[in-house]
Amino acid sequence: MIALLMLLAGVILLYLGAESLLRGASHLAITLGMSEVVCGLTVVALGTSMPEAVASTMAQIQGEQGNIAMGNIIGSNIANIGLILGIAVLCAPITISEVIHDREIPLMAGLSLLLGIFMLGGTILRWEGIVLLAALCVYLFYHVFGGRIFSKGKESAKDFVVEKEKKPLTAMVAKNVTIDLLFIVVGILLLVSGGAFLVEGAERLAKLWGVSERVIGLTMVALGTSLPELATSIVAAVRKKPDIALGNIVGSNIFNLLFVAGIASTVVPIVYSKRLLLFDLPVMLGFTALLWGFSTKTKAFSKPYGIVLIALYASYVSLLFFVA
């Protein structure tokens, strides 16, 4: 019971921390003149990936629990495509923009292969984590500045350009900035506390139930840290904002591969079981390839696609508990 309560408390604190961080950071970015598109691609995507980052990093700090750390990363990416996208599609059809199909999904696939190459040695080393973080910096640089550097026409560059109009620093603006900073600080504190509770609860459950830390990381921890993506994608789908719904899932997976794996392995090299490499990584690559294939075949995800994704995810989880 204590382990379950710790796990539940960790999930709740992570969710509240992510919401607080997202609210403060996104509002602060807009207040300081950042366009909403850039804010969504950077601040929001980073915020929804913070639970995974904190949980995986805390797993490393508290005892080098690499199976929980890496299981959380791989499991979250699988859940984002199989479960969360599947549920979102059942709520409302999701159209696929050319940007997501032509650039973001292939990039996600390439980064998934890169992580797979790094995993071949049995450990994600510190220098490999630094490489992932450097790739994240390039990714962020492109989304913040790349539009106006590489785009020739104004129409293609306008979504990337930071707004030039600056509001005067009035007492009201200064007050809003202070409130935003408070939300950010509170969010970080909640995330750190939630990560500690989640990892401790997951470790206790694994021992009590006789389930491996790998399975706990791939399921309970991964699902718990994916709550922000689930909420965002469902709301976006229902409100007829497909770019946000699908972009949130793909962007979150990219941040998991670069930011979460990068920061966790830079703090402490991640050591994990061979089953993560031989079974779970190929499943993640398979879901990624399936998403790419679906996006090539159709211009919009409809309910049949959602049913297929959820069925495949349910089959994978069943294999984890009964076979793998």
Side-chain angles (χ1 to χ4, degrees):
M1 181 62 69
I2 294 177
L4 284 172
L5 288 175
M6 291 184 70
L7 195 70
L8 179 61
V11 170
I12 293 173
L13 288 173
L14 282 173
Y15 182 78
L16 293 176
E19 286 294 313
S20 180
L21 179 64
L22 278 172
R23 177 176 176 178
S26 59
H27 190 267
L28 177 62
I30 294 173
T31 300
L32 297 179
M34 181 180 290
S35 70
E36 291 186 6
V37 172
V38 172
C39 180
L41 290 170
T42 56
V43 176
V44 175
L46 181 63
T48 55
S49 295
M50 281 302 294
E52 287 92 341
V54 173
S56 292
T57 303
M58 292 299 294
Q60 289 296 93
I61 293 175
Q62 290 184 357
E64 298 185 26
Q65 300 163 349
N67 285 323
I68 291 180
M70 187 56 65
N72 179 37
I73 295 166
I74 294 176
S76 292
N77 278 23
I78 294 172
N80 283 345
I81 297 174
L83 182 65
I84 295 176
L85 179 58
I87 293 175
V89 170
L90 290 182
C91 294
I94 296 178
T95 57
I96 308 165
S97 68
E98 290 185 4
V99 172
I100 292 178
H101 173 265
D102 295 341
R103 188 182 66 202
E104 300 299 324
I105 292 180
L107 177 61
M108 178 182 66
L111 293 174
S112 299
L113 288 174
L114 176 63
L115 182 65
I117 293 173
F118 284 169
M119 289 181 65
L120 290 176
T123 305
I124 304 292
L125 301 173
R126 184 171 282 112
W127 73 265
E128 292 171 328
I130 294 173
V131 170
L132 294 173
L133 291 177
L136 174 66
C137 292
V138 174
Y139 178 78
L140 292 174
F141 178 85
Y142 173 79
H143 281 85
V144 176
F145 303 106
R148 51 185 175 180
I149 293 176
F150 301 109
S151 299
K152 296 180 181 180
K154 292 183 179 180
E155 290 299 320
S156 59
K158 64 181 182 180
D159 287 340
F160 293 88
V161 179
V162 176
E163 299 293 338
K164 294 182 179 180
E165 181 181 353
K166 294 183 179 180
K167 298 180 180 179
L169 186 60
T170 62
M172 181 60 69
V173 173
K175 181 180 179 180
N176 290 338
V177 170
T178 302
I179 294 174
D180 293 337
L181 290 174
L182 181 61
F183 270 107
I184 292 173
V185 172
V186 171
I188 292 173
L189 292 176
L190 289 174
L191 283 169
V192 173
S193 301
F197 275 111
L198 186 67
V199 171
E200 180 66 23
E203 185 181 15
R204 291 191 180 195
L205 280 180
K207 293 179 179 178
L208 289 172
W209 291 353
V211 179
S212 67
E213 291 181 352
R214 161 181 161 266
V215 173
I216 293 293
L218 286 163
T219 55
M220 291 186 176
V221 177
L223 288 174
T225 56
S226 294
L227 285 177
E229 288 90 343
L230 176 62
T232 301
S233 295
I234 290 177
V235 171
V238 171
R239 293 183 180 179
K240 310 299 182 183
K241 295 182 178 180
D243 286 344
I244 295 178
L246 185 56
N248 171 57
I249 292 169
V250 175
S252 177
N253 278 18
I254 291 174
F255 269 83
N256 286 342
L257 295 166
L258 296 179
F259 175 62
V260 181
I263 194 71
S265 57
T266 299
V267 172
V268 179
I270 304 176
V271 182
Y272 41 84
S273 67
K274 287 185 178 180
R275 286 192 175 184
L276 271 168
L277 173 64
L278 299 178
F279 180 74
D280 304 300
L281 175 65
V283 171
M284 184 188 77
L285 294 174
F287 270 94
T288 302
L290 185 65
L291 177 62
W292 196 353
F294 280 173
S295 67
T296 302
K297 186 177 180 180
T298 182
K299 294 183 178 179
F301 292 131
S302 55
K303 287 185 179 181
Y305 289 97
I307 294 173
V308 170
L309 289 172
I310 293 175
L312 289 174
Y313 181 76
S315 300
Y316 165 67
V317 173
S318 299
L319 286 173
L320 282 179
F321 284 98
F322 297 109
V323 178

